[in-house]
Amino acid sequence: MLIEPVIKGVVAKNAHPVGCHEAVKQQIQYVKNAPQIQQGPKRVLILGASSGFGLAARIALTFGGAKADTIGVSFEREPNEKSYGSAGWYNNIFFKKEADKEQRLAINIVGDAFSNDIRDQVIEAIETYFEGEVDLVIYSLAAGIRPKDETGEFWRSAIKPIGDSVTGASIMLEDDSWRETTVPPATLEEEQATLKVMGGEDWESWIDALINSESIADGCKTIAFSYVGPEITHPIYLDGTLGRAKIDLHQTSHSLNLKLANFNGNAYATVCKALVTKASVFIPALSPYMLALYKIMKQKGTHETCVEQMQRLFSTKLYGQKLIPLDGERLLRMDDWELDPETQHHVSELLEVMNKDNFTTIGDYQGFKQEFMQLNGFGLTNVDYHRDIDIDNFIKLTP
């Protein structure tokens, strides 16, 4: 059968397995040819490893110079007779396939990273495959819900402003439409739930569990990914529920840094640039900013994809340096090129004239949508999308 993309709003409902494999291979090829990671970690745990920054970090650390072995945790949907499965499911499979070729260990654990069962499986895997210790823990979860222990109830995040409503445009990838939306302010319950899901509590809980199980190696680092953005995005992001959760994540990095000091290690919140990920396209009123940002940064030659940013993070900032460059709040800034004053000046100029009639032409809508499609295995060169796919062959594959 032919697999064609199915998009509902900003959600891809299917994935192309051959395209997912090609996307993984293209990222691997990039990091092999980029400046290499020096003195990198050898045993890495990645929580949220199947797409976006988590997958890019896994690829960079395995193939970009560090030659790391990895344990990746993700919550993905497998294919069956009625469903093609999620892109992350195939990413896990094909990452492992490529890692095996170079004799790098790649352990995939599929399940809810918030659950105690998965935590136990990870600790057992560290003991079995990593001689009981990890050198780096990457926290890259982007879930929308988190279970409340074993009660069967959930905290559910809400991406909303705090205090006042925010009006802005969202772009529907399903039909390439510009939709003005007004997002009401979050309730106190929604603020607290978003903090529980996207703040630093679970990150700290994971590190505590690894410390208690004696799974932290001497010199172990941990990082979690965050975003701050320019002032123009603050009403919906930094000053909203999501931004408050990220600030909590930043504060958590300080307490974890003190705990890891006992192992000569460190903890950092890593602020990335705005990029197309499965999580970022959900943020109301942010997509016009990203269209303008992509346009300007590509013109200046400073645009980076997830894998390009991760390779730069590990090769120029986190490893191989005498001093890790941090700002005054101990944040590791990978958004330095995005927040360049000249870049932001031109982005603001573009946003002032962007509207529903011209967003596809004056912004980089094609590049924005292409990155989204490629997250799900579509729109890639070297893939024949007119070729019939026997999904039964992919149902047999397991991570």
Side-chain angles (χ1 to χ4, degrees), residues 24 132-133 145 182 208 283 335 361 368 386:
V24 168
E133 295 181 331
I145 61 173
T182 297
D208 285 344
I283 302 172
D335 60 347
T361 55
F368 176 86
H386 300 291

Side-chain angles (χ1 to χ4, degrees), residues 1-4 16 383-389:
M1 67 179 71
L2 296 181
I3 302 178
E4 297 182 350
H16 197 289
V383 176
D384 182 2
Y385 292 101
H386 300 291
R387 175 187 169 193
D388 282 339
I389 297 294

Side-chain angles (χ1 to χ4, degrees), residues 49-90:
S50 59
S51 65
F53 287 117
L55 175 62
R58 196 178 192 188
I59 289 171
L61 290 164
T62 300
F63 300 99
K67 298 183 178 180
D69 295 326
T70 60
I71 296 171
V73 180
S74 59
F75 201 6
E76 296 297 339
R77 186 179 73 254
E78 64 184 297
N80 55 44
E81 291 77 8
K82 297 181 180 180
S83 169
Y84 296 117
S86 61
W89 178 267
Y90 298 115

Side-chain angles (χ1 to χ4, degrees), residues 91-335:
N91 292 339
N92 285 336
I93 289 169
F94 294 125
F95 171 84
K96 179 177 176 61
K97 180 177 180 180
E98 297 301 319
D100 287 347
K101 290 179 183 178
E102 302 197 12
Q103 298 182 312
R104 296 267 62 86
L105 194 63
I107 306 302
N108 291 317
I109 296 176
V110 179
D112 187 353
F114 291 125
S115 72
N116 291 328
D117 177 59
I118 291 298
R119 194 163 296 186
D120 291 342
Q121 288 185 44
V122 167
I123 291 171
E124 182 179 350
I126 292 171
E127 184 66 33
T128 303
Y129 300 106
F130 284 178
E131 298 179 342
E133 295 181 331
V134 290
D135 306 317
L136 173 65
V137 180
I138 298 174
Y139 190 87
S140 184
L141 296 184
I145 61 173
R146 177 185 171 190
K148 297 180 179 180
D149 300 321
E150 306 300 329
T151 63
E153 298 178 331
F154 296 88
W155 289 294
R156 299 180 184 275
S157 63
I159 303 175
K160 291 183 176 182
I162 293 175
D164 297 306
S165 299
V166 168
T167 298
S170 294
I171 295 173
M172 296 296 106
L173 293 157
E174 176 182 359
D175 56 7
D176 305 324
S177 64
W178 171 287
R179 298 186 188 178
E180 292 287 344
T181 57
T182 297
V183 186
T187 65
L188 182 59
E189 181 180 1
E190 287 173 327
E191 287 183 48
Q192 293 172 340
T194 306
L195 198 68
K196 284 288 188 180
V197 176
M198 297 184 171
E201 183 178 78
D202 186 64
W203 181 24
E204 185 159 22
S205 178
W206 264 100
I207 299 303
D208 285 344
L210 294 172
I211 290 173
N212 291 336
S213 64
E214 299 182 344
S215 301
I216 296 292
D218 186 64
C220 179
K221 295 180 175 66
T222 185
I223 61 172
F225 298 124
S226 183
Y227 183 68
V228 172
E231 188 173 347
I232 197 170
T233 66
H234 287 181
I236 192 60
Y237 198 99
L238 190 63
D239 297 335
T241 55
L242 191 48
R244 296 289 174 88
K246 294 303 184 183
I247 290 171
D248 182 72
L249 193 78
H250 302 171
Q251 293 170 341
T252 299
S253 73
H254 306 323
S255 62
L256 289 179
N257 198 57
L258 293 174
K259 292 179 180 181
L260 290 181
N262 295 320
F263 304 88
N264 300 307
N266 302 98
Y268 304 106
T270 302
V271 183
C272 299
K273 70 163 281 197
L275 279 169
V276 176
T277 66
K278 292 181 179 180
S280 68
V281 294
F282 271 99
I283 302 172
L286 188 66
S287 42
Y289 167 75
M290 294 179 68
L291 299 192
L293 182 71
Y294 271 42
K295 181 84 168 187
I296 299 304
M297 292 191 75
K298 286 182 179 180
Q299 288 175 350
K300 291 174 65 68
T302 56
H303 175 72
E304 292 175 307
T305 62
C306 287
V307 75
E308 289 170 335
Q309 187 150 115
M310 290 300 97
Q311 186 70 14
R312 180 164 71 96
L313 166 65
F314 297 123
S315 65
T316 70
K317 300 206 174 188
L318 198 60
Y319 292 100
Q321 314 300 314
K322 290 183 178 179
L323 291 174
I324 295 175
L326 304 173
D327 71 4
E329 299 179 7
R330 281 196 66 259
L331 299 176
L332 210 170
R333 305 301 292 257
M334 296 304 297
D335 60 347

